[in-house]
Amino acid sequence: MTSYDAVLSDLDGVLRQFDHVAQADIEARYGLPLMKTAFAPERILPATLGQITEAQWVESVALALGGDERARRAVAEFAEVSFWVDEEVRALLAKAQERVPLVLLTNAMDTLEEHLDRLGLTYFADAVVSSARVGLAKPDPRIYELAAQVAGVAPSRCLFVDDRLENVEAARALGMIGVHFTEAGDLARALSL
């Protein structure tokens, strides 16, 4: 018998991977602090809470970098960096889903559904809890409670996996089994697969 009745999985950095080499290359070519600027809390949080669109976020990053043509080109390239599904993680989550509900719990923007479609993940999970749709973002405890409710189980019966330690610690504080994801083996061990 497993020690969990549902799996709550992060998307970015777990199931979806980004080309970090390309991101670093864009930063180097343009000589601009794209990562630091794009993911500064004052810019990323409104987008992940659904208060602004991804397009508005991109514009805010360009403006923060000076707003000139060079900044706009850099940000446009950065926003279009390729991403893909980690097939090993997909297989592990699908295997777990044979026994328990799988809910994607992600800090995302208004374009999440489009991205899931591009990845072939639209119907992969039993449900998706997107920060941009519910107006709450990890590590706010309320979004974990909402995801557990969507899964139909108590928080203490959820296994939660995320690549950000602060998000894992927030889940553990609610009694969830928290898995800090650094590679697929972390997930395989936690799922007992």
Side-chain angles (χ1 to χ4, degrees), residues 147-181:
Q149 184 179 7
V150 166
V153 303
S156 63
R157 299 298 300 164
C158 292
L159 184 145
F160 171 78
V161 58
D162 200 296
D163 62 320
R164 295 182 57 110
L165 186 57
E166 68 178 330
N167 294 341
V168 174
E169 288 171 346
R172 288 176 179 155
L174 289 172
M176 293 182 177
I177 300 165
V179 180
H180 184 212
F181 181 93

Side-chain angles (χ1 to χ4, degrees), residues 46-110:
T48 57
L49 289 174
Q51 297 165 350
I52 63 172
T53 65
E54 181 177 336
Q56 290 169 318
W57 170 71
V58 167
E59 175 66 10
S60 76
V61 176
L63 289 173
L65 291 169
D68 59 8
E69 188 57 36
R70 182 170 146 271
R72 291 182 186 286
R73 276 196 318 271
V75 174
E77 277 187 50
F78 186 79
E80 289 303 315
V81 163
S82 63
F83 53 80
W84 59 89
V85 172
D86 181 320
E87 293 299 338
E88 190 177 356
V89 171
R90 183 203 303 243
L92 288 167
L93 291 174
K95 189 81 173 151
Q97 193 181 17
E98 292 172 6
R99 298 186 318 229
V100 299
L102 169 65
V103 176
L104 294 181
L105 173 52
T106 180
N107 285 357
M109 297 187 201
D110 67 315

